[in-house]
Amino acid sequence: MSYAFPPGGLPDQSVNPEGSAVFTTAYAVLPAITQRDIVTSLLPGWTGMRMWLLARPLSGFAETFSQYAVELQAGGGSDTPEVDTGAQSVVFVANGQVVLTIGATHHDLTAGGYAYIPAGVAWTIWNRSGAVAQFHWVRKRYVPAEGVAHPEAFVTHDDAVPPTVMPDCDGVWATTRFADPSDLRHDMHVNIVTFLPGGRIPFAETHVMEHGLYVLQGTAKYLLNTDWVDVGPGDFMWLRAFCPQACVATGDQPFRYLLYKDVNRHAVL
């Protein structure tokens, strides 16, 4: 498997600046070519890091989550990565190696490594290797529910979770569900969705969940509201609630994306 990540750098002066980035009232597309050195951010409490802040709550748009692509130099990391005790996190490693410590337990994560970290749990993350490490980080404020216990931390890997094939699709559409969809302790899911070439979402999904979709591999035509856009590795799509969406996988390799959605809670009134 390969896992895309922002390319950094800077296009040369021959590149046409009129690109395919889009921000509308219903969705946004941040193509990989826009994820360059000059749009990175830094955070207090970190060493040897930079990140691309791809999504953050915006009033009137998507409001439940933030999504970062974090790059750590050799020796980089943080003992205090999360400053909001109400925020839960998912970390998904794209390249390199990191040491993730949750409570007192150390985990060595490589590309494809996945970790869920509950709100209020102390954790650290460091790149102890001699090469750059890159990971995706999704954050959401946890919403407790009466009579429902808080979820526990867990660490796994893309290869360790069998994809669930969607019904009536001849095996071309599957979802790697890292958290059990019936587990009401979880109020967000961060999954990997896979389409084999030619596979599709055969109707325009329209639902209350907000989405962040980071394309990890392959290409597709993706329907966002009323527009079909071409997407590929490293492209990020950001959808507000009820934005119609569908896709058709193109090319000759699987189309895979990391998908965030909010789940299992009442609508806020």
Side-chain angles (χ1 to χ4, degrees), residues 5-6 8 35-36 39-40 50-54 67-69:
F5 195 80
Q35 300 163 30
R36 297 298 187 169
V39 296
T40 56
R50 65 175 183 170
M51 70 177 192
W52 287 264
L53 205 165
L54 301 172
Q67 186 158 341
Y68 308 153

Side-chain angles (χ1 to χ4, degrees), residues 30-237:
L30 304 181
I33 196 173
T34 68
Q35 300 163 30
R36 297 298 187 169
D37 289 352
I38 62 173
V39 296
T40 56
S41 299
L42 305 176
L43 289 176
W46 289 75
T47 298
M49 75 86 74
R50 65 175 183 170
M51 70 177 192
W52 287 264
L53 205 165
L54 301 172
R56 52 161 289 183
L58 292 178
S59 179
F61 190 68
E63 299 182 336
T64 61
F65 75 108
S66 66
Q67 186 158 341
Y68 308 153
V70 181
E71 184 172 88
L72 295 180
Q73 297 300 312
S78 178
D79 285 329
T80 54
E82 182 55 75
V83 296
D84 186 343
T85 59
Q88 59 192 319
S89 292
V90 163
V91 168
F92 181 79
V93 180
N95 296 293
Q97 305 175 43
V98 297
V99 178
L100 175 69
T101 302
I102 305 174
T105 305
H106 304 295
H107 305 275
D108 294 317
L109 300 184
T110 57
Y114 181 107
Y116 170 76
I117 306 162
V121 172
W123 59 285
T124 70
I125 188 165
W126 288 93
N127 177 6
R128 304 297 188 191
S129 75
V132 168
Q134 299 168 326
F135 64 91
H136 299 281
W137 180 13
V138 179
R139 304 166 64 240
K140 179 187 180 295
R141 181 72 62 86
Y142 183 68
V143 179
E146 185 174 356
V148 177
H150 287 211
E152 298 175 351
F154 67 87
V155 174
T156 185
H157 192 278
D158 183 16
D159 292 341
V161 181
T164 300
V165 175
M166 305 298 280
D168 303 319
C169 70
D170 297 323
V172 299
W173 176 13
T175 303
T176 303
R177 293 174 169 147
F178 295 99
D180 184 345
S182 65
D183 186 347
L184 294 181
R185 297 177 302 168
H186 288 277
D187 70 345
M188 76 167 180
H189 290 161
V190 179
N191 299 327
I192 294 178
V193 180
T194 301
F195 291 91
L196 298 183
R200 64 186 60 201
I201 299 175
F203 68 104
E205 293 186 23
T206 307
H207 50 59
V208 70
M209 286 88 79
E210 298 176 347
H211 278 338
L213 296 86
Y214 196 94
V215 180
L216 300 172
Q217 178 184 356
T219 60
K221 291 186 177 296
Y222 215 98
L223 174 66
L224 298 166
N225 198 15
T226 60
D227 308 318
W228 285 95
V229 299
D230 293 311
V231 294
D235 292 346
F236 179 72
M237 292 169 278

Side-chain angles (χ1 to χ4, degrees), residues 238-259:
W238 185 12
L239 285 63
R240 69 180 297 178
F242 299 109
C243 176
Q245 62 164 310
C247 80
V248 178
T250 57
D252 58 2
Q253 61 177 311
F255 173 61
R256 309 187 81 215
Y257 55 84
L258 190 70
L259 172 71

